[in-house]
Amino acid sequence: MRKLTQFVLVAAAMMATPAFAEMKIAVLNYQMALLESDAAKKYAVDAEKKFGPQLNKLKTLESDAKRIQDRLVKDGEKMQQAERERLELEFKQKARDFQFQSKELNEAKAVADRDMLKQLKPKLDKAVEEVLKKGSYDLVLERGAVVDVKPQYDITRQVIERMNQQR
């Protein structure tokens, strides 16, 4: 809240000065610029190929566990004690397997995402710097800090295009 108050005060002070009329202001959606780049889209396709089989195994485990649980709920009281206990044990095992494999998949995906971000962040920073320098902007705001902005002030697409030009 304190930062927001400071921001509002600075913005109000800037508007009150004649220099504000001459300022060049832009808005940038940093996250969108990163995620909409060709490199990030390629990573998403590669990640789906890499992690797809594990995700399919998880879905199978989940549906198997759900099927067992439904059977226990529907027919559990009619079943013999040994059959019900066997199904309960099988359900618990599938639930444990699901939790374990889900945790492993999430950790592997997080590592891969961090590696991708580590590779793309310098490229994104360079693209932002080049667009800012070319446009001679005096003030650039993160899109999340702005309620509304006219499209001509949003430089996100320019940054994405510049990042896609880099090799």
Side-chain angles (χ1 to χ4, degrees):
M1 188 67 183
R2 184 172 166 224
K3 286 191 182 251
L4 179 63
T5 304
Q6 289 173 340
F7 175 74
V8 170
L9 290 175
V10 168
M14 288 183 349
M15 286 186 208
T17 64
F20 177 73
E22 299 169 18
M23 285 184 72
K24 227 176 151 185
I25 299 173
V27 173
L28 172 64
N29 187 333
Y30 200 83
Q31 183 177 5
M32 180 180 161
L34 178 68
L35 297 177
E36 292 291 318
S37 70
D38 290 345
K41 289 177 181 177
K42 181 184 180 314
Y43 166 76
V45 169
D46 292 346
E48 189 167 329
K49 287 178 187 173
K50 180 179 179 181
F51 298 112
Q54 288 174 281
L55 190 58
N56 288 336
K57 284 181 186 177
L58 279 175
K59 287 178 182 176
T60 301
L61 268 176
E62 183 180 33
S63 65
D64 289 350
K66 177 81 171 115
R67 183 181 40 77
I68 293 168
Q69 184 181 35
D70 290 346
R71 185 167 172 217
L72 281 168
V73 168
K74 183 180 172 191
D75 301 329
E77 293 189 15
K78 299 179 211 169
M79 288 181 192
Q80 299 222 355
Q81 179 74 18
E83 175 69 6
R84 187 171 58 249
E85 287 175 358
R86 184 188 67 74
L87 284 175
E88 287 172 351
L89 186 63
E90 186 179 348
F91 173 76
K92 288 177 184 177
Q93 183 61 44
K94 292 210 182 277
R96 275 193 298 270
D97 289 349
F98 178 84
Q99 287 178 338
F100 177 74
Q101 290 181 24
S102 177
K103 183 180 176 190
E104 276 191 338
L105 177 61
N106 288 336
E107 288 172 358
K109 180 81 168 77
V111 167
D113 289 351
R114 280 192 300 272
D115 288 345
M116 184 270 306
L117 186 59
K118 191 187 281 186
Q119 286 180 332
L120 291 184
K121 188 169 179 339
K123 292 178 181 181
L124 177 60
D125 290 342
K126 183 178 179 192
V128 169
E129 186 179 318
E130 290 172 1
V131 169
L132 295 181
K133 190 178 285 185
K134 181 181 175 190
S136 300
Y137 295 101
D138 297 310
L139 178 65
V140 179
L141 301 170
E142 168 61 40
R143 179 64 179 103
V146 178
V147 175
D148 193 28
V149 64
K150 291 182 179 178
Q152 68 260 29
Y153 296 115
D154 191 333
I155 61 170
T156 306
R157 283 277 154 221
Q158 294 172 39
V159 170
I160 293 170
E161 290 168 8
R162 184 67 198 120
M163 193 174 169
N164 289 343
Q165 292 170 1
Q166 294 177 9
R167 292 290 160 214

